[in-house]
Structure formats: C-alpha cells, structure tokens
Amino acid sequence: EAGVAQSPRYKIIEKRQSVAFWCNPISGHATLYWYQQILGQGPKLLIQFQNNGVVDDSQLPKDRFSAERLKGVDSTLKIQPAKLEDSAVYLCASSSDRNNEQFFGPGTRLTVL
Amino acid sequence: AQSVTQPDIHITVSEGASLELRCNYSYGATPYLFWYVQSPGQGLQLLLKYFSGDTLVQGIKGFEAEFKRSQSSFNLRKPSVHWSDAAEYFCAVGAGWDTDKLIFGTGTRLQVFP
C-alpha cells in the first residue's frame, strides 16, 4: 500500500513570494490533515478536511494561508505572501476516517529567506 | 486548554540499555494519548496509543507506555534500545471529543551510542 505522498520535498523562497505544497493521501482515506512543524517544536494542526469539506481551520492564518481539497482526494496548501516565520516542515497526514490512525507523509521543508 | 510537556529535549543512551521518555499532559477529562516517532527526513509513525482500559499499552518495535492518571503521565519505555531507535519521539494528546485533533509535545531527541 502506497503511503502519503508530498511534493516538493524541499523549497527555498524569498519573503513575500508565494509557494504551494501538494499532498496525495493514501487511497480511500477520507480525512486529510495539514500540520506545520517549526524547528524544535511538535507539529501543529493547520487544517483538517473530511472528504472535500473543511472540518477545522481555526489555526490556519487565513490572511496568507489557503488550502483546498478538490474532489476529496489530493490537497494543496498555499502561502501567499510568505514570511520568515513560515520556515518550517509542512506535514500532510491522512486517515480512513476521523479518530482513526493518522498516517504521515515525509513533509515539505520550506525555507523563507 | 490541553497541553503536553516533554521535559527532556535530548537523551543519550548506550545500545542495549533501557529507555524511558517522559510525557506529562494537561487535560480535564480522560485523555487519548499517543506516542509517535520521527526519523530524519521521514514523517511521523505511530508507536502506540491509549484510549481506555489497561493502562499499560504495548506498541510496535518493542515499545510500551504506561498511563498514570494520578501523575498525568504517559511515559514511553523500551527495555533494550537498538541503534535504529535513534530518532525524535513525540507525545500527543487527542483534544476533547475530537481525538483526531492532536496536540503534540516539543519532542525528545534520542541518540544511541554503540
């Protein structure tokens, strides 16, 4: 069974530029999560989807971050414009349903200069 | 509000030695507790979880954890560490009714010497 796929694995941009991350969850998984992991900290949930609907985006900085999950499969997380403090690893996870085990992708490491 | 504390940022052990990683949580009701491991360049992998029942939980890779309500702790243990266990370990609590809204601790980095 293929795991959660993310791309790109690494991205370096300058502040005020925009960037997008892509996540392909495990086939059939209805729930998808995006986490932000800043160096030295644990992951923090940014947004949670159930199929193509948003369950929780209370910690998503909506002035600059956006996410979508068209057709309830792949998801894209965008930052526009990026700030220095957005430097982090962005993790995508999926689960077959809410309250089931979350499977994590390898993450995208973003560096904002 | 729920929170998780991992008091040890970095732990070093010799291969074959026993291991205990500490985790304390703050939550008003019975928590749902998890331990994850993150190897360099990889995503998080679930080691074990506690929802209810037996307070001693067995996980993968020979790990176990014990839930102690009186101490608000969920420490991770392994009797004999292997070099491949070197990684970062995260304790997490499921928030409220939505156990999938995980709140993570800051992690403990484990280094294993041969």
Side-chain angles (χ1 to χ4, degrees), chain A residues 9 33 48 56 98-99 102 105, chain B residues 38 41 43 98-101:
Chain A
R9 292 295 310 277
Y33 311 80
Q48 177 184 355
D56 183 357
R98 297 185 64 186
N99 301 324
Q102 297 182 34
Chain B
Q38 186 176 35
D98 300 317
T99 61
D100 58 346
K101 289 181 173 47

Side-chain angles (χ1 to χ4, degrees), chain B residues 85-103:
Chain B
D85 293 324
E88 186 126 25
Y89 292 80
F90 292 93
C91 182
V93 62
W97 293 106
D98 300 317
T99 61
D100 58 346
K101 289 181 173 47
L102 301 179
I103 296 172

Side-chain angles (χ1 to χ4, degrees), chain A residues 77-88:
Chain A
L77 177 69
K78 296 179 181 178
I79 307 175
Q80 182 180 10
K83 293 185 175 181
L84 295 178
E85 58 261 36
D86 298 332
S87 293

Side-chain angles (χ1 to χ4, degrees), chain B residues 10-47:
Chain B
H10 186 202
I11 284 183
T12 302
V13 299
S14 298
E15 191 170 19
S18 62
L19 172 71
E20 182 168 29
L21 302 182
R22 295 184 291 166
C23 172
N24 293 97
Y25 66 89
S26 173
Y27 184 57
T30 299
Y32 290 7
L33 296 162
F34 307 80
W35 273 100
Y36 284 84
V37 60
Q38 186 176 35
S39 298
Q42 298 187 25
L44 282 77
Q45 181 183 22
L46 180 66
L47 286 175

Side-chain angles (χ1 to χ4, degrees), chain A residues 89-102:
Chain A
V89 175
Y90 291 84
L91 296 165
C92 179
S94 71
S95 64
S96 56
D97 202 349
R98 297 185 64 186
N99 301 324
N100 289 347
E101 178 179 349
Q102 297 182 34

